[in-house]
Amino acid sequence: MNIFESQNSPAKSFERLLSIMDDLRNQCPWDKKQTLETLRHLTIEETYELSDAILEGDMQEIKKELGDLMLHLVFYSKIGSEGNHFNITDVCNGICEKLINRHPHIYGEVVADTEEQVKQNWEQIKLKEGNKSVLAGVPSSLPALVKASRIQEKARGVGFDFEEKHQVWEKVEEELQEFKTEFDVAEGIEIDQEKAEAEFGDLLFSLINYARFININPENALEKTNRKFIKRFQYLESKAKDLNKSLQNMSLAEMDVFWNEAKKL
């Protein structure tokens, strides 16, 4: 195969990537030095870059970042093959077999007409495969917000969940009241930091649960708010600069004028 020529089929283009990976691993000083551990943090970075592109709706950037991630998957497989642990064929066959096994409503006799039935079947099959807990598949290193969502989704998969969203909102209000009781600034009493933190965690967990019930991804929602705040704050900074002022020397009332302008953009 000529690696300098684009290929017009999935199989050929993937084979081209594998050939290039072989060349890089054998000839490039940087690629030759990489290990599973050295690639790990780079893969995390690439995943976040893909996430950014998705939130921005930039399809060309999404395509580029998918390519970067695919390179990492091929790289890991190449390293695995060098130690006779696994190769790219093992990886592809492994995921194919898992998907077939976990979709008995497609490749077997099981009936699953709804998304919820599919999720329930999925969790039951994972337990049969050897998972000791429904929650065992939630990575411990996930960011806390994402982890809370995944924990709740997996618990729902085996029927441990509220039945109606109004019940979830009642839980939010209950947790809010418990937090306010623990952190009652009106009383001016020094709080127990550990208890307040625990109650705040319960409140966040219940809000994430409610978001799930109304089909809002809390991670996406918070990131969009982060971006909105950054945009407005940078507008505020630029206006202060136009006035030859620093934010530290502006009153809150002055900053609010520009903040409200930013909200209209």
Side-chain angles (χ1 to χ4, degrees):
M1 171 181 291
N2 185 344
I3 63 167
F4 299 104
E5 293 181 359
S6 294
Q7 301 299 315
N8 57 10
S9 74
K12 288 294 184 181
S13 61
F14 192 61
E15 184 181 347
R16 182 188 183 202
L17 176 59
L18 295 178
S19 295
I20 292 172
M21 183 73 257
D22 287 343
D23 291 341
L24 298 182
R25 189 65 173 167
N26 289 327
Q27 300 174 39
C28 174
W30 185 87
D31 289 280
K32 288 166 69 173
K33 288 181 62 177
Q34 301 314 304
T35 65
L36 298 178
E37 290 76 17
T38 61
L39 287 176
R40 176 182 172 274
H41 76 280
L42 297 175
T43 306
I44 293 171
E45 181 180 332
E46 294 293 355
T47 303
Y48 278 111
E49 288 179 0
L50 173 61
S51 175
D52 286 346
I54 291 171
L55 287 175
E56 291 164 5
D58 187 334
M59 299 306 292
Q60 289 303 309
E61 194 66 17
I62 290 171
K63 179 183 73 172
K64 182 178 82 67
E65 298 302 341
L66 285 172
D68 290 344
L69 269 181
M70 193 171 296
L71 169 62
H72 279 235
L73 302 182
V74 167
F75 210 151
Y76 287 122
S77 299
K78 176 64 177 177
I79 294 172
S81 70
E82 292 168 353
N84 294 319
H85 302 297
F86 56 86
N87 57 35
I88 191 65
T89 303
D90 299 326
V91 171
C92 291
N93 282 330
I95 186 60
C96 288
E97 288 158 10
K98 182 164 75 172
L99 289 172
I100 291 170
N101 186 51
R102 293 189 183 178
H103 290 78
H105 53 291
I106 303 297
Y107 302 106
E109 304 300 323
V110 173
V111 175
D113 297 322
T114 68
E115 179 184 356
E116 286 305 314
Q117 288 176 317
V118 171
K119 289 180 178 178
Q120 289 172 9
N121 287 342
W122 185 280
E123 295 302 338
Q124 292 298 327
I125 291 169
K126 288 177 71 174
L127 288 175
K128 291 178 181 177
E129 289 175 348
N131 280 9
K132 295 180 179 179
S133 168
V134 169
L135 304 181
V138 180
S140 59
S141 58
L142 273 181
L145 190 66
V146 179
K147 186 188 291 187
S149 296
R150 295 296 294 138
I151 288 170
Q152 292 165 4
E153 288 170 2
K154 287 184 172 294
R156 181 177 178 80
V158 292
F160 186 75
D161 203 1
F162 290 98
E163 294 180 352
E164 302 292 340
K165 64 182 179 183
H166 72 84
Q167 297 172 309
V168 190
W169 185 250
E170 288 169 2
K171 185 64 175 174
V172 171
E173 293 181 322
E174 175 189 326
E175 297 295 355
L176 177 59
Q177 187 55 52
E178 289 181 4
F179 175 63
K180 289 174 67 177
T181 299
E182 199 59 52
F183 189 49
D184 192 346
V185 293
E187 293 294 328
I189 302 172
E190 182 134 351
I191 67 167
D192 183 319
Q193 195 70 34
E194 189 173 335
K195 287 183 179 179
E197 183 181 81
E199 295 298 347
F200 186 66
D202 290 346
L203 175 59
L204 281 178
F205 194 85
S206 62
L207 278 169
I208 292 167
N209 204 22
Y210 187 73
R212 180 173 56 85
F213 259 77
I214 57 176
N215 296 317
I216 290 176
N217 184 301
E219 172 70 20
N220 290 348
L222 183 58
E223 178 56 19
K224 287 176 181 178
T225 294
N226 288 340
R227 289 169 179 245
K228 182 170 59 178
F229 184 92
I230 291 170
K231 182 179 179 181
R232 292 174 180 176
F233 191 82
Q234 289 176 339
Y235 177 85
L236 172 60
E237 288 178 315
S238 68
K239 288 298 181 179
K241 186 177 181 180
D242 290 343
L243 296 173
N244 292 319
K245 289 187 174 183
S246 68
L247 294 181
Q248 292 90 334
N249 296 327
M250 293 176 68
S251 68
L252 189 58
E254 288 177 301
M255 288 190 281
D256 275 343
V257 172
F258 296 127
W259 186 263
N260 289 328
E261 284 181 11
K263 289 168 69 174
K264 297 176 183 178
L265 297 178

